[in-house]
Amino acid sequence: EIVLTQSPGTLSLSPGERATLSCRASQSVSSSYLAWYQQKPGQAPRLLIYGASSRATGIPDRFSGSGSGTDFTLTISRLEPEDFAVYYCQQYGSSNTFGQGTKLEIK
Amino acid sequence: QLQLQESGPGLVKPSETLSLTCTVSGGSISSSSYYWGWIRQPPGKGLEWIGSIYYSGSTYYNPSLKSRVTISVDTSKNQFSLKLSSVTAADTAVYYCARHQIIVVVPAAMSGTFDPWGQGTLVTVSS
């Protein structure tokens, strides 16, 4: 099973700042089958990024994904108040596993 | 717009079977492009894929839960269901259903992204 480790566990930033979230896999993720989800309190996760770098329908372009192999990054270029949430990565190259999440909180 | 809605008991006794149903609206569960999946999230913790089913009845399960999980589909009602047997307190979680995009299908596994998700339902295992 591919284990995903997200860092940091909590990221404290202010609106307008740039956020960089990391997801590291225990082995290479084939074909960059890596997705990112956003989850707000009391809500279901929402797909943001698939294929490591493709934005899902309706996702603002301030969200971008990059990486390959074992190291992946989600970048939010300029934080809006509604972006403060928990973010999960998921690999789907070998079954389906999720990272433990990064909480993005307002500083 | 495709919507999914979970339903079922919110409280299950230890050693009994958890049963949930997901009703799909705004689209057909018989689409050839998708599986339909269950994911759970223990309170304050991360996400765990439970398993997924195709409209034909083909299923894939998380190996860690496989011995206790059964997922079935009823295309006439546009629903799919989850049964998890011999539950313990560790099975207390919010259970989500979601459309599971087919990316990889091999004899032993199926994988893809989940979108959209139902709102989730909390199931507590307690006597």
Side-chain angles (χ1 to χ4, degrees), chain A residues 41-76:
Chain A
Q43 296 185 18
R46 176 176 69 145
L47 178 66
L48 298 176
I49 300 287
Y50 62 93
S53 60
S54 297
R55 276 187 300 276
T57 302
I59 302 303
D61 61 7
R62 64 180 182 274
F63 290 91
S64 63
S66 63
S68 64
T70 60
D71 290 301
F72 299 87
T73 300
L74 174 69
T75 302
I76 310 171

mmCIF file of all heavy atoms in Angstrom, chain A residues 41-76:
data_model
loop_
_atom_site.group_PDB
_atom_site.id
_atom_site.type_symbol
_atom_site.label_atom_id
_atom_site.label_comp_id
_atom_site.label_asym_id
_atom_site.label_seq_id
_atom_site.Cartn_x
_atom_site.Cartn_y
_atom_site.Cartn_z
ATOM 1 N N PRO A 41 -15.193 22.568 7.586
ATOM 2 C CA PRO A 41 -15.874 21.949 8.740
ATOM 3 C C PRO A 41 -17.322 21.604 8.423
ATOM 4 O O PRO A 41 -18.075 22.425 7.897
ATOM 5 C CB PRO A 41 -15.771 23.035 9.807
ATOM 6 C CG PRO A 41 -14.538 23.798 9.457
ATOM 7 C CD PRO A 41 -14.507 23.813 7.946
ATOM 8 N N GLY A 42 -17.691 20.372 8.752
ATOM 9 C CA GLY A 42 -19.064 19.926 8.561
ATOM 10 C C GLY A 42 -19.451 19.644 7.120
ATOM 11 O O GLY A 42 -20.621 19.393 6.835
ATOM 12 N N GLN A 43 -18.487 19.697 6.210
ATOM 13 C CA GLN A 43 -18.777 19.455 4.798
ATOM 14 C C GLN A 43 -18.008 18.249 4.275
ATOM 15 O O GLN A 43 -17.022 17.812 4.878
ATOM 16 C CB GLN A 43 -18.409 20.681 3.954
ATOM 17 C CG GLN A 43 -19.223 21.917 4.273
ATOM 18 C CD GLN A 43 -18.906 23.068 3.321
ATOM 19 O OE1 GLN A 43 -18.339 22.878 2.240
ATOM 20 N NE2 GLN A 43 -19.280 24.285 3.717
ATOM 21 N N ALA A 44 -18.466 17.755 3.142
ATOM 22 C CA ALA A 44 -17.758 16.679 2.467
ATOM 23 C C ALA A 44 -16.539 17.247 1.743
ATOM 24 O O ALA A 44 -16.496 18.441 1.412
ATOM 25 C CB ALA A 44 -18.674 15.996 1.462
ATOM 26 N N PRO A 45 -15.544 16.417 1.492
ATOM 27 C CA PRO A 45 -14.414 16.873 0.682
ATOM 28 C C PRO A 45 -14.860 17.262 -0.721
ATOM 29 O O PRO A 45 -15.851 16.742 -1.246
ATOM 30 C CB PRO A 45 -13.492 15.647 0.646
ATOM 31 C CG PRO A 45 -13.839 14.882 1.886
ATOM 32 C CD PRO A 45 -15.315 15.062 2.032
ATOM 33 N N ARG A 46 -14.099 18.177 -1.317
ATOM 34 C CA ARG A 46 -14.357 18.625 -2.685
ATOM 35 C C ARG A 46 -13.077 18.438 -3.499
ATOM 36 O O ARG A 46 -11.993 18.843 -3.061
ATOM 37 C CB ARG A 46 -14.775 20.095 -2.689
ATOM 38 C CG ARG A 46 -14.966 20.696 -4.075
ATOM 39 C CD ARG A 46 -15.466 22.118 -4.050
ATOM 40 N NE ARG A 46 -14.504 23.089 -3.559
ATOM 41 C CZ ARG A 46 -14.388 24.339 -4.002
ATOM 42 N NH1 ARG A 46 -15.171 24.756 -4.994
ATOM 43 N NH2 ARG A 46 -13.530 25.170 -3.470
ATOM 44 N N LEU A 47 -13.224 17.843 -4.675
ATOM 45 C CA LEU A 47 -12.066 17.619 -5.543
ATOM 46 C C LEU A 47 -11.561 18.948 -6.096
ATOM 47 O O LEU A 47 -12.326 19.728 -6.677
ATOM 48 C CB LEU A 47 -12.453 16.686 -6.696
ATOM 49 C CG LEU A 47 -11.374 16.388 -7.734
ATOM 50 C CD1 LEU A 47 -10.223 15.593 -7.115
ATOM 51 C CD2 LEU A 47 -11.969 15.621 -8.925
ATOM 52 N N LEU A 48 -10.255 19.195 -5.906
ATOM 53 C CA LEU A 48 -9.627 20.408 -6.421
ATOM 54 C C LEU A 48 -8.757 20.127 -7.648
ATOM 55 O O LEU A 48 -8.851 20.801 -8.670
ATOM 56 C CB LEU A 48 -8.724 21.035 -5.352
ATOM 57 C CG LEU A 48 -9.330 21.526 -4.050
ATOM 58 C CD1 LEU A 48 -8.211 22.002 -3.125
ATOM 59 C CD2 LEU A 48 -10.339 22.623 -4.309
ATOM 60 N N ILE A 49 -7.869 19.145 -7.491
ATOM 61 C CA ILE A 49 -6.819 18.848 -8.467
ATOM 62 C C ILE A 49 -6.801 17.352 -8.732
ATOM 63 O O ILE A 49 -6.932 16.552 -7.798
ATOM 64 C CB ILE A 49 -5.432 19.273 -7.935
ATOM 65 C CG1 ILE A 49 -5.376 20.772 -7.628
ATOM 66 C CG2 ILE A 49 -4.327 18.858 -8.913
ATOM 67 C CD1 ILE A 49 -5.327 21.673 -8.833
ATOM 68 N N TYR A 50 -6.629 16.955 -9.992
ATOM 69 C CA TYR A 50 -6.422 15.550 -10.332
ATOM 70 C C TYR A 50 -5.261 15.464 -11.307
ATOM 71 O O TYR A 50 -4.862 16.469 -11.914
ATOM 72 C CB TYR A 50 -7.691 14.928 -10.924
ATOM 73 C CG TYR A 50 -8.146 15.563 -12.216
ATOM 74 C CD1 TYR A 50 -7.736 15.051 -13.443
ATOM 75 C CD2 TYR A 50 -8.963 16.696 -12.227
ATOM 76 C CE1 TYR A 50 -8.125 15.633 -14.632
ATOM 77 C CE2 TYR A 50 -9.363 17.284 -13.404
ATOM 78 C CZ TYR A 50 -8.941 16.755 -14.607
ATOM 79 O OH TYR A 50 -9.323 17.348 -15.792
ATOM 80 N N GLY A 51 -4.702 14.274 -11.454
ATOM 81 C CA GLY A 51 -3.546 14.131 -12.340
ATOM 82 C C GLY A 51 -2.387 15.015 -11.941
ATOM 83 O O GLY A 51 -1.618 15.465 -12.791
ATOM 84 N N ALA A 52 -2.280 15.281 -10.654
ATOM 85 C CA ALA A 52 -1.221 16.095 -10.048
ATOM 86 C C ALA A 52 -1.331 17.589 -10.340
ATOM 87 O O ALA A 52 -0.944 18.415 -9.510
ATOM 88 C CB ALA A 52 0.174 15.607 -10.441
ATOM 89 N N SER A 53 -1.860 17.961 -11.516
ATOM 90 C CA SER A 53 -1.798 19.381 -11.881
ATOM 91 C C SER A 53 -3.024 19.921 -12.608
ATOM 92 O O SER A 53 -3.051 21.111 -12.954
ATOM 93 C CB SER A 53 -0.567 19.646 -12.753
ATOM 94 O OG SER A 53 -0.631 18.888 -13.937
ATOM 95 N N SER A 54 -4.026 19.096 -12.842
ATOM 96 C CA SER A 54 -5.217 19.555 -13.561
ATOM 97 C C SER A 54 -6.291 19.997 -12.568
ATOM 98 O O SER A 54 -6.632 19.248 -11.650
ATOM 99 C CB SER A 54 -5.769 18.438 -14.447
ATOM 100 O OG SER A 54 -4.839 18.069 -15.434
ATOM 101 N N ARG A 55 -6.813 21.197 -12.783
ATOM 102 C CA ARG A 55 -7.874 21.685 -11.894
ATOM 103 C C ARG A 55 -9.206 21.048 -12.254
ATOM 104 O O ARG A 55 -9.562 20.926 -13.434
ATOM 105 C CB ARG A 55 -7.988 23.205 -11.984
ATOM 106 C CG ARG A 55 -7.022 23.968 -11.094
ATOM 107 C CD ARG A 55 -7.314 25.461 -11.103
ATOM 108 N NE ARG A 55 -7.192 26.001 -12.444
ATOM 109 C CZ ARG A 55 -6.051 26.375 -12.995
ATOM 110 N NH1 ARG A 55 -4.931 26.270 -12.300
ATOM 111 N NH2 ARG A 55 -6.023 26.865 -14.224
ATOM 112 N N ALA A 56 -9.975 20.683 -11.217
ATOM 113 C CA ALA A 56 -11.318 20.167 -11.443
ATOM 114 C C ALA A 56 -12.232 21.311 -11.888
ATOM 115 O O ALA A 56 -11.895 22.490 -11.745
ATOM 116 C CB ALA A 56 -11.845 19.516 -10.173
ATOM 117 N N THR A 57 -13.388 20.944 -12.390
ATOM 118 C CA THR A 57 -14.337 21.928 -12.897
ATOM 119 C C THR A 57 -14.711 22.946 -11.822
ATOM 120 O O THR A 57 -15.068 22.574 -10.698
ATOM 121 C CB THR A 57 -15.616 21.223 -13.386
ATOM 122 O OG1 THR A 57 -15.269 20.284 -14.403
ATOM 123 C CG2 THR A 57 -16.598 22.226 -13.952
ATOM 124 N N GLY A 58 -14.611 24.222 -12.178
ATOM 125 C CA GLY A 58 -15.050 25.279 -11.279
ATOM 126 C C GLY A 58 -14.047 25.698 -10.229
ATOM 127 O O GLY A 58 -14.342 26.581 -9.409
ATOM 128 N N ILE A 59 -12.862 25.110 -10.239
ATOM 129 C CA ILE A 59 -11.841 25.452 -9.234
ATOM 130 C C ILE A 59 -11.064 26.685 -9.700
ATOM 131 O O ILE A 59 -10.551 26.704 -10.824
ATOM 132 C CB ILE A 59 -10.899 24.270 -8.983
ATOM 133 C CG1 ILE A 59 -11.693 23.047 -8.512
ATOM 134 C CG2 ILE A 59 -9.819 24.652 -7.990
ATOM 135 C CD1 ILE A 59 -12.533 23.274 -7.276
ATOM 136 N N PRO A 60 -10.953 27.700 -8.836
ATOM 137 C CA PRO A 60 -10.249 28.943 -9.237
ATOM 138 C C PRO A 60 -8.789 28.691 -9.583
ATOM 139 O O PRO A 60 -8.160 27.770 -9.037
ATOM 140 C CB PRO A 60 -10.368 29.821 -7.986
ATOM 141 C CG PRO A 60 -11.482 29.252 -7.190
ATOM 142 C CD PRO A 60 -11.512 27.791 -7.476
ATOM 143 N N ASP A 61 -8.249 29.542 -10.443
ATOM 144 C CA ASP A 61 -6.881 29.313 -10.899
ATOM 145 C C ASP A 61 -5.816 29.710 -9.884
ATOM 146 O O ASP A 61 -4.621 29.547 -10.160
ATOM 147 C CB ASP A 61 -6.632 30.005 -12.246
ATOM 148 C CG ASP A 61 -6.814 31.503 -12.190
ATOM 149 O OD1 ASP A 61 -7.016 32.046 -11.069
ATOM 150 O OD2 ASP A 61 -6.777 32.150 -13.250
ATOM 151 N N ARG A 62 -6.222 30.195 -8.723
ATOM 152 C CA ARG A 62 -5.227 30.426 -7.662
ATOM 153 C C ARG A 62 -4.755 29.104 -7.059
ATOM 154 O O ARG A 62 -3.749 29.064 -6.357
ATOM 155 C CB ARG A 62 -5.767 31.344 -6.565
ATOM 156 C CG ARG A 62 -6.939 30.808 -5.776
ATOM 157 C CD ARG A 62 -7.373 31.834 -4.723
ATOM 158 N NE ARG A 62 -8.481 31.354 -3.904
ATOM 159 C CZ ARG A 62 -9.759 31.476 -4.236
ATOM 160 N NH1 ARG A 62 -10.078 32.098 -5.357
ATOM 161 N NH2 ARG A 62 -10.712 31.015 -3.437
ATOM 162 N N PHE A 63 -5.504 28.012 -7.338
ATOM 163 C CA PHE A 63 -5.104 26.682 -6.892
ATOM 164 C C PHE A 63 -4.288 26.020 -8.020
ATOM 165 O O PHE A 63 -4.750 25.944 -9.163
ATOM 166 C CB PHE A 63 -6.319 25.802 -6.592
ATOM 167 C CG PHE A 63 -7.090 26.214 -5.362
ATOM 168 C CD1 PHE A 63 -8.139 27.107 -5.467
ATOM 169 C CD2 PHE A 63 -6.752 25.709 -4.122
ATOM 170 C CE1 PHE A 63 -8.849 27.503 -4.340
ATOM 171 C CE2 PHE A 63 -7.455 26.086 -2.989
ATOM 172 C CZ PHE A 63 -8.506 26.984 -3.096
ATOM 173 N N SER A 64 -3.115 25.516 -7.672
ATOM 174 C CA SER A 64 -2.319 24.799 -8.665
ATOM 175 C C SER A 64 -1.614 23.625 -7.999
ATOM 176 O O SER A 64 -1.282 23.669 -6.809
ATOM 177 C CB SER A 64 -1.294 25.728 -9.322
ATOM 178 O OG SER A 64 -0.372 26.207 -8.370
ATOM 179 N N GLY A 65 -1.417 22.573 -8.779
ATOM 180 C CA GLY A 65 -0.735 21.395 -8.294
ATOM 181 C C GLY A 65 0.478 21.091 -9.152
ATOM 182 O O GLY A 65 0.498 21.397 -10.351
ATOM 183 N N SER A 66 1.475 20.489 -8.522
ATOM 184 C CA SER A 66 2.685 20.123 -9.254
ATOM 185 C C SER A 66 3.309 18.904 -8.615
ATOM 186 O O SER A 66 2.895 18.465 -7.525
ATOM 187 C CB SER A 66 3.676 21.294 -9.261
ATOM 188 O OG SER A 66 4.087 21.598 -7.943
ATOM 189 N N GLY A 67 4.309 18.362 -9.296
ATOM 190 C CA GLY A 67 5.056 17.243 -8.751
ATOM 191 C C GLY A 67 4.912 15.981 -9.577
ATOM 192 O O GLY A 67 4.091 15.888 -10.504
ATOM 193 N N SER A 68 5.740 15.009 -9.225
ATOM 194 C CA SER A 68 5.723 13.704 -9.873
ATOM 195 C C SER A 68 6.504 12.727 -9.023
ATOM 196 O O SER A 68 7.191 13.138 -8.071
ATOM 197 C CB SER A 68 6.316 13.782 -11.284
ATOM 198 O OG SER A 68 7.682 14.141 -11.206
ATOM 199 N N GLY A 69 6.377 11.443 -9.339
ATOM 200 C CA GLY A 69 7.112 10.442 -8.583
ATOM 201 C C GLY A 69 6.591 10.306 -7.162
ATOM 202 O O GLY A 69 5.511 9.770 -6.946
ATOM 203 N N THR A 70 7.359 10.797 -6.213
ATOM 204 C CA THR A 70 6.965 10.685 -4.811
ATOM 205 C C THR A 70 6.679 12.025 -4.131
ATOM 206 O O THR A 70 6.246 12.042 -2.978
ATOM 207 C CB THR A 70 8.047 9.958 -3.989
ATOM 208 O OG1 THR A 70 9.263 10.714 -4.070
ATOM 209 C CG2 THR A 70 8.276 8.534 -4.493
ATOM 210 N N ASP A 71 6.939 13.133 -4.802
ATOM 211 C CA ASP A 71 6.779 14.447 -4.180
ATOM 212 C C ASP A 71 5.813 15.333 -4.951
ATOM 213 O O ASP A 71 6.023 15.604 -6.137
ATOM 214 C CB ASP A 71 8.132 15.140 -4.055
ATOM 215 C CG ASP A 71 9.020 14.470 -3.025
ATOM 216 O OD1 ASP A 71 8.601 14.408 -1.858
ATOM 217 O OD2 ASP A 71 10.103 14.005 -3.403
ATOM 218 N N PHE A 72 4.781 15.775 -4.239
ATOM 219 C CA PHE A 72 3.725 16.574 -4.863
ATOM 220 C C PHE A 72 3.428 17.801 -4.001
ATOM 221 O O PHE A 72 3.605 17.771 -2.781
ATOM 222 C CB PHE A 72 2.448 15.741 -5.041
ATOM 223 C CG PHE A 72 2.654 14.553 -5.937
ATOM 224 C CD1 PHE A 72 3.104 13.340 -5.440
ATOM 225 C CD2 PHE A 72 2.410 14.649 -7.300
ATOM 226 C CE1 PHE A 72 3.309 12.249 -6.270
ATOM 227 C CE2 PHE A 72 2.605 13.574 -8.147
ATOM 228 C CZ PHE A 72 3.062 12.366 -7.632
ATOM 229 N N THR A 73 2.981 18.864 -4.659
ATOM 230 C CA THR A 73 2.726 20.123 -3.969
ATOM 231 C C THR A 73 1.410 20.727 -4.439
ATOM 232 O O THR A 73 1.100 20.718 -5.637
ATOM 233 C CB THR A 73 3.859 21.125 -4.247
ATOM 234 O OG1 THR A 73 5.098 20.588 -3.782
ATOM 235 C CG2 THR A 73 3.605 22.449 -3.539
ATOM 236 N N LEU A 74 0.652 21.250 -3.484
ATOM 237 C CA LEU A 74 -0.516 22.076 -3.784
ATOM 238 C C LEU A 74 -0.159 23.500 -3.390
ATOM 239 O O LEU A 74 0.268 23.747 -2.256
ATOM 240 C CB LEU A 74 -1.735 21.612 -2.987
ATOM 241 C CG LEU A 74 -2.988 22.497 -3.115
ATOM 242 C CD1 LEU A 74 -3.578 22.403 -4.516
ATOM 243 C CD2 LEU A 74 -4.038 22.118 -2.064
ATOM 244 N N THR A 75 -0.322 24.427 -4.308
ATOM 245 C CA THR A 75 -0.035 25.831 -4.047
ATOM 246 C C THR A 75 -1.305 26.652 -4.207
ATOM 247 O O THR A 75 -2.045 26.478 -5.184
ATOM 248 C CB THR A 75 1.043 26.359 -5.007
ATOM 249 O OG1 THR A 75 2.231 25.585 -4.865
ATOM 250 C CG2 THR A 75 1.358 27.821 -4.720
ATOM 251 N N ILE A 76 -1.546 27.502 -3.236
ATOM 252 C CA ILE A 76 -2.631 28.477 -3.342
ATOM 253 C C ILE A 76 -1.945 29.832 -3.428
ATOM 254 O O ILE A 76 -1.295 30.260 -2.470
ATOM 255 C CB ILE A 76 -3.587 28.413 -2.143
ATOM 256 C CG1 ILE A 76 -4.024 26.957 -1.894
ATOM 257 C CG2 ILE A 76 -4.817 29.298 -2.379
ATOM 258 C CD1 ILE A 76 -4.793 26.752 -0.606
#
